[in-house]
Amino acid sequence: MDVTLNELEEAINYWRRMRPSTGEERALSAEVNSLADIYALMIFERARSRPLTSLDGDARLLIEAWRASAEGNAA
C-alpha cells in the first residue's frame, strides 16, 4: 500500500492538531517532524506517492494511526 503526497499532508495536519508546536520557537513535535521530512523528500523528488513499506517504522505507525482516526471519523 502506498501513501500519497496528499495523504501525507493530511496526516501532518492531523498530527499538528494532536501534538501542536511548543515553546517560543514553535518547535514541531517529533511526530510532525518525522512526517515533514518524508513530505519534503517527496516534493524534492517530485514523487506523488511512496510505498508505505519504504518508510521507517515510526512514520508507518503515525500514518496508520492517522488513517485509523480518519476511518473512525467517517463512520
Side-chain angles (χ1 to χ4, degrees), residues 5 8-9 12 32-47 50:
L5 194 60
L8 191 53
E9 186 174 348
I12 289 169
V32 173
N33 201 30
S34 173
L35 296 177
D37 287 344
I38 298 163
Y39 185 80
L41 186 59
M42 287 176 68
I43 289 175
F44 179 77
E45 295 174 345
R46 296 184 176 158
R50 174 162 290 204

Side-chain angles (χ1 to χ4, degrees), residues 16-30:
R16 285 181 60 214
R17 287 188 303 275
M18 299 303 292
R19 305 278 191 260
S21 54
T22 59
E24 287 184 30
E25 69 281 355
R26 306 306 296 166
L28 296 176
S29 68

